[in-house]
Amino acid sequence: NTVLAGHGLVKKYGSTTALSGVDVEVGERDSLAIMGPSGSGKSTLLHTLAGIVRPDGGQVLLRSERSETGVPPGEGWERIDKLGENRLSALRRKRFGFVFQFGQLLPELPAEENVALPLMLEGMPRGRAVERARRWFAPLGIDGLEKRRPGQLSGGQAQRVAIARALVVEPDVVFADEPTGALDQTTSTEVVRLLTSVTREQGAALVMVTHDADVAAHCDRVLQVRDGLITHYTQYTAA
Ligand code: ADP
Ligand code: ADP
């Protein structure tokens, strides 16, 4: 049930090799943490899988969307590293969700409109988008905060809003880059628990970069990256 795979990924920045032949796969409801020292290629790997960075070698494959009949069209896979910019950004908006460290919410918009934004970008009318957005507040434990602006939220609350925004399009894959990086330990644990459980319930895969081993331990698998290569792979027993 693989939904996203990278095969032989290579990425170079001038004389720096950020990825030197990485193979990675994630399945539906599967969560993967990427760990490693600073400069080891974690962000480059996440951004390459997310179609933000184009690799110099290898392939990024995303399972094709199911057609009306439930059967994926064509070969069943899309080479996203080969897509043009326009199709790629459309695909990212529709099939991927993103959670970053902080500062990702628009400060002038109430929480519910921040969550509704990806739907509005897809052309959904504001009223319907906000109504859909509101459904995510209870599962994420932020009921009652719909009208608050980001400045009136705690760090943990803001990250829950960011998770809601990532999930509102019902993506196939959620990418999280240091999602707990700005939070204290207790809040980190709460946020990563919600992120992994709600992503799984929604049926999406999760790919997360983190420095925090306690946060990574909430994922099904942990990849250790060093100098652009996977050096270690941990498989936890299914939760
Ligand atoms: P990490 O996320 O593990 O800190 P990165 O993926 O950000 O590592 O970086 C891997 C290597 O690639 C580092 O040596 C970094 O300096 C280099 N690198 C990353 N992005 C760029 C870029 N846009 N231009 C030049 N070098 C980069
Ligand atoms: P690091 O984890 O190495 O500190 P950052 O998380 O700051 O790196 O991310 C740096 C890269 O992430 C940038 O090159 C940028 O392209 C990408 N990036 C950051 N935020 C976004 C965003 N909201 N949408 C798309 N790309 C982003």
Side-chain angles (χ1 to χ4, degrees):
N1 69 341
T2 300
V3 59
L4 180 71
H7 295 315
L9 296 176
V10 173
K11 180 66 189 177
K12 293 179 178 157
Y13 291 108
S15 59
T16 304
T17 302
L19 297 177
S20 46
V22 171
D23 295 302
V24 58
E25 289 194 0
V26 271
E28 254 171 51
R29 295 169 206 275
D30 188 16
S31 54
L32 176 73
I34 302 167
M35 295 195 76
S38 189
S40 57
K42 303 183 295 294
S43 293
T44 303
L45 178 55
L46 182 124
H47 292 140
T48 303
L49 292 171
I52 294 169
V53 160
R54 216 180 273 275
D56 299 308
Q59 309 186 340
V60 182
L61 298 162
L62 178 68
R63 190 174 63 198
S64 300
E65 268 186 297
R66 302 202 181 272
S67 68
E68 318 271 272
T69 58
V71 179
E75 293 292 298
W77 295 95
E78 193 130 28
R79 273 286 298 273
I80 70 169
D81 56 294
K82 289 294 184 200
L83 291 180
E85 250 349 287
N86 291 338
R87 284 196 58 204
L88 194 52
S89 59
L91 179 144
R92 272 201 305 263
R93 277 203 305 272
K94 198 161 168 226
R95 302 196 56 198
F96 293 163
F98 294 91
V99 181
F100 294 95
Q101 188 167 351
F102 56 80
Q104 54 196 314
L105 300 175
L106 296 181
E108 67 277 15
L109 292 184
E112 63 185 14
E113 289 189 34
N114 266 284
V115 175
L117 215 51
L119 295 173
M120 292 194 267
L121 286 174
E122 287 292 294
M124 192 181 284
R126 184 193 206 85
R128 255 182 71 207
V130 169
E131 190 261 315
R132 276 256 218 121
R134 284 188 191 131
R135 296 183 202 163
W136 289 93
F137 281 70
L140 287 162
I142 44 175
D143 234 6
L145 304 182
E146 291 85 349
K147 305 285 183 203
R148 296 253 191 115
R149 280 165 218 281
Q152 304 169 300
L153 298 171
S154 70
Q157 289 167 344
Q159 282 310 72
R160 291 170 195 231
V161 173
I163 293 168
R165 191 175 66 174
L167 285 163
V168 77
V169 296
E170 300 179 12
D172 295 279
V173 187
V174 173
F175 294 95
D177 196 348
E178 296 284 2
T180 63
L183 307 175
D184 63 51
Q185 198 63 50
T186 311
T187 313
S188 288
T189 304
E190 287 167 10
V191 166
V192 73
R193 279 212 181 115
L194 276 166
L195 177 61
T196 51
S197 64
V198 179
T199 303
R200 186 176 288 121
E201 277 160 33
Q202 136 73 25
L206 174 66
V207 180
M208 174 169 79
V209 165
T210 181
H211 279 100
D212 186 334
D214 294 331
V215 166
H218 286 86
C219 291
D220 301 317
R221 294 182 295 144
V222 181
L223 289 185
Q224 291 284 345
V225 180
R226 196 178 186 101
D227 296 334
L229 281 171
I230 293 170
T231 57
H232 196 75
Y233 171 97
T234 313
Q235 172 95 59
Y236 293 108
T237 48

